[in-house]
């Protein structure tokens, strides 16, 4: 009986050691696999367990040091006990070999693969409880951990690794885009689209979203007073640019809420209209949308005149235009929103040549190139490299285009087909 008792104790101790090996192995994987962003959010919300894990992860070299020291001590002790047991049962010759093979299989399955796999799948369930043990262990074994890390860090510095603290979890724009995509049902589809649109603002300039020059609705001071008043009363826009003769000569921007100040004057004249206008705010056409959004906020503006490098007016950009890039069109009137697009019964579309390419891509789900000309007319002329003498056809990617009408060197009407035909939303 006295001989059996130590044997039973050793078998029990070996079982405990394998369990401890599983603990350290799963702790290593769980700590390194835990979602840092969720963890930081929980810590900022006052979760003490999350704060404890965050503190441990600030120095991964020390954390890994205490885990590996513990794991190696446990495995070496388990190997010694397994060898003693194997010699007892199988003799001095074959016992060590059997112990090595048996313990390798047991530790590999129960002390490494299984716990690490579980920890990789459920890191929160492992890392947070494990921190209760690892934090005090780090204090107990700190001298040994410090010595091991001092040697290890010296070798890392010799290899060119200077930063030994955990890097901040900064994400690039593409990585953040992947995070949004992979969020799945955790973020509603509509919200995902808005977040991705915000990330795209830097890649889009005001030239891409502006109202082009030929579509600007404004007040020309060379018109008679009655014409100007008629435009003011019937305008569908809240703000109107005021210019004289040519849109390049912009004198100001009139907010229609100020129109009541001069409409009731008995001696109304054009000077009174200009007096109520605010000085124009000019925007370089290459300004990225994310920059212009901040500029609108800082300047307390909602509309700006877009100019090119020569100072010539190219169009108008509004705060609403930028917001629509993020949240989509405000209007629900499809006919008004896509007034340049005319669906046909055969699945084709008759499109105005002045239609904006980005608007076409968003409305129809196409992939026409947007890194060059901004309008369909410009895109066709760029591909043809000349003005066609007669109606012509061409293909850009999966989109086929047929010129239907030209006027004054401007393509005014185009018939388009696409391999992946998609109807406008709301039809």
């Amino acid at each position: 009986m006295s001989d059996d008792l130590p044997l039973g104790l050793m078998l029990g101790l070996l079982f405990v050691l394998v369990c401890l090996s599983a603990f350290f192995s799963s702790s290593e994987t769980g700590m390194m696999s835990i979602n840092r962003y969720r963890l930081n959010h929980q810590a900022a919300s006052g979760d003490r367990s999350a704060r404890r894990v965050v503190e441990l992860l600030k120095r991964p070299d020390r954390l890994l040091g205490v885990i590996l020291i513990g794991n190696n001590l446990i495995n070496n002790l388990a190997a010694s006990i397994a060898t003693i047991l194997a010699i007892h049962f199988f003799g001095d010759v074959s016992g060590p070999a059997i112990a090595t093979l048996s313990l390798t299989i047991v530790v590999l399955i129960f002390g490494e693969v299984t716990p690490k796999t579980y920890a990789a799948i459920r890191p929160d369930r492992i890392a947070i409880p494990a921190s209760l043990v690892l934090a005090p262990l780090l204090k107990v074994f700190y001298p040994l951990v410090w010595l091991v890390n001092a040697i290890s860090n010296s070798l890392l510095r010799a290899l060119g690794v200077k930063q030994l603290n955990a890097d901040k979890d900064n994400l690039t724009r593409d990585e953040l885009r992947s995070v949004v995509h992979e969020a799945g049902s955790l973020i509603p589809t509509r919200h995902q689209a808005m977040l991705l649109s915000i990330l795209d603002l830097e890649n889009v300039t005001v030239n891409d979203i502006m109202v082009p020059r030929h579509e600007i609705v404004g007040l020309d001071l060379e018109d008679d007073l009655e014409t100007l008043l008629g435009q003011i009363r019937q305008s569908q826009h809240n703000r109107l640019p005021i210019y004289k003769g040519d849109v390049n000569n912009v004198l100001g921007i009139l907010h229609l809420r100020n129109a009541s100040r001069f409409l009731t004057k008995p001696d109304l004249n054009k000077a009174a209209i200009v007096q109520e206008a605010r000085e124009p705010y000019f925007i370089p056409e290459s300004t990225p949308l994310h920059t212009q959004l901040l500029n609108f906020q800082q300047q307390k503006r909602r509309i700006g005149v877009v100019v090119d490098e020569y100072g010539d007016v190219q169009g108008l950009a509004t705060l609403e235009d930028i917001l629509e890039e993020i949240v989509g069109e405000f209007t629900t009137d499809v006919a008004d929103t896509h007034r340049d697009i005319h669906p046909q019964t055969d699945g084709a579309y008759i499109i105005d040549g002045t239609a904006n390419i980005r608007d076409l891509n968003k409305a129809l789900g196409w992939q026409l190139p947007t890194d060059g000309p901004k309008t369909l007319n410009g895109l066709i002329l760029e591909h043809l490299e000349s003005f066609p003498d007669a109606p012509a056809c061409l293909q850009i990617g999966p989109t086929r285009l047929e010129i239907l009408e030209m006027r004054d060197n401007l393509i005014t009407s185009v018939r388009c087909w696409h391999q992946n035909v998609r109807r406008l939303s709301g039809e």
Side-chain angles (χ1 to χ4, degrees), residues 188-209:
T189 303
R190 180 62 176 165
H191 294 173
Q192 286 187 26
M194 291 173 62
L195 290 171
L196 295 174
S197 296
I198 292 174
L199 294 176
D200 287 336
L201 288 184
E202 188 172 344
N203 300 324
V204 184
T205 65
V206 293
N207 190 30
D208 295 314
I209 57 97

Side-chain angles (χ1 to χ4, degrees), residues 389-411:
D389 297 328
C393 292
L394 70 155
Q395 182 161 340
I396 302 175
T399 307
R400 284 186 265 179
L401 306 101
E402 177 188 357
I403 301 173
L404 299 181
E405 183 180 356
M406 290 188 61
R407 188 182 306 115
D408 299 328
N409 291 331
L410 176 69
I411 299 173

Side-chain angles (χ1 to χ4, degrees), residues 218-223 225 228-229 232 240-245 249-256 258-259 261-263 265 267-280:
L219 303 176
D220 186 354
L221 294 181
E222 292 191 353
D223 293 336
L225 186 59
L228 295 177
L229 294 178
I232 293 173
L240 295 174
I242 299 177
Y243 58 92
K244 189 172 184 178
N249 187 22
V250 179
L251 303 179
I253 305 293
L254 175 65
H255 197 304
L256 293 191
N258 298 328
R261 300 177 182 176
F262 58 77
L263 288 177
K265 291 184 178 180
D267 55 344
L268 176 61
N269 54 36
K270 296 179 181 179
I273 299 177
V274 176
Q275 187 176 0
E276 295 298 334
R278 190 178 182 183
E279 70 278 2

Side-chain angles (χ1 to χ4, degrees), residues 8-300:
L9 283 175
M10 290 199 316
L11 286 172
L13 182 57
L14 183 61
F15 174 78
V16 172
L17 292 175
V18 172
C19 292
L20 289 175
S21 177
F23 166 76
F24 283 110
S25 297
S26 62
S27 298
E28 177 186 359
T29 302
M31 284 289 185
M32 297 299 112
S33 302
I34 194 168
N35 189 313
R36 304 292 181 90
Y37 307 104
R38 185 185 300 119
L39 186 67
N40 290 333
H41 172 71
Q42 292 172 343
S45 300
D47 190 324
R48 295 175 60 183
S49 299
R51 288 180 180 177
R52 185 170 55 249
V53 177
V54 169
E55 287 299 319
L56 288 172
L57 289 173
K58 284 183 178 179
R59 285 299 301 266
D61 56 334
R62 294 177 181 174
L63 176 61
L64 290 175
V66 69
I67 290 175
L68 295 177
I69 287 172
N71 207 9
N72 280 279
L73 287 175
I74 295 299
N75 288 341
N76 288 333
L77 182 57
S80 300
I81 295 176
T83 301
I84 295 173
L85 290 172
I87 290 174
H88 175 79
F89 287 107
F90 302 104
D92 295 340
V93 177
S94 57
I98 294 175
T100 301
L101 179 61
S102 301
L103 188 63
T104 298
I105 295 174
V106 171
V107 171
L108 186 64
I109 296 175
F110 299 102
E112 292 288 339
V113 176
T114 302
K116 284 190 173 183
T117 301
Y118 181 81
I121 298 173
R122 298 284 189 270
D124 291 357
R125 295 185 180 181
I126 297 297
I128 293 178
S131 65
L132 292 170
V133 177
L134 295 177
L137 274 182
L138 182 58
K139 295 179 181 179
V140 172
F141 289 102
Y142 185 79
L144 181 58
V145 172
W146 180 88
L147 177 62
V148 171
N149 284 340
I151 299 173
S152 175
N153 293 342
S154 298
L155 294 175
L156 290 174
R157 290 190 181 95
L159 295 174
V161 179
K162 304 297 182 183
Q163 181 63 38
L164 299 178
N165 293 332
D167 292 334
K168 292 184 178 180
D169 299 314
N170 296 326
L171 290 177
T172 65
R173 186 179 301 102
D174 290 336
E175 290 171 341
L176 184 54
R177 183 188 301 276
S178 298
V179 170
V180 174
H181 277 301
E182 293 173 2
S185 59
L186 296 176
I187 302 179
T189 303
R190 180 62 176 165
H191 294 173
Q192 286 187 26
M194 291 173 62
L195 290 171
L196 295 174
S197 296
I198 292 174
L199 294 176
D200 287 336
L201 288 184
E202 188 172 344
N203 300 324
V204 184
T205 65
V206 293
N207 190 30
D208 295 314
I209 57 97
M210 69 181 182
V211 176
R213 173 178 175 145
H214 67 274
E215 294 184 13
I216 292 178
V217 177
L219 303 176
D220 186 354
L221 294 181
E222 292 191 353
D223 293 336
D224 59 76
L225 186 59
E226 290 301 322
T227 300
L228 295 177
L229 294 178
Q231 285 183 272
I232 293 173
R233 293 190 179 100
Q234 298 174 12
S235 176
Q236 298 179 354
H237 305 282
N238 292 327
R239 295 170 178 81
L240 295 174
I242 299 177
Y243 58 92
K244 189 172 184 178
D246 186 86
V247 73
N248 279 322
N249 187 22
V250 179
L251 303 179
I253 305 293
L254 175 65
H255 197 304
L256 293 191
R257 69 184 178 190
N258 298 328
S260 58
R261 300 177 182 176
F262 58 77
L263 288 177
T264 56
K265 291 184 178 180
D267 55 344
L268 176 61
N269 54 36
K270 296 179 181 179
I273 299 177
V274 176
Q275 187 176 0
E276 295 298 334
R278 190 178 182 183
E279 70 278 2
Y281 169 55
F282 295 99
I283 307 171
E285 63 177 344
S286 59
T287 305
L289 288 194
H290 74 289
T291 301
Q292 188 53 48
L293 185 60
L294 295 176
N295 290 342
F296 274 141
Q297 183 181 32
Q298 294 170 357
Q299 299 294 329
K300 308 299 182 185

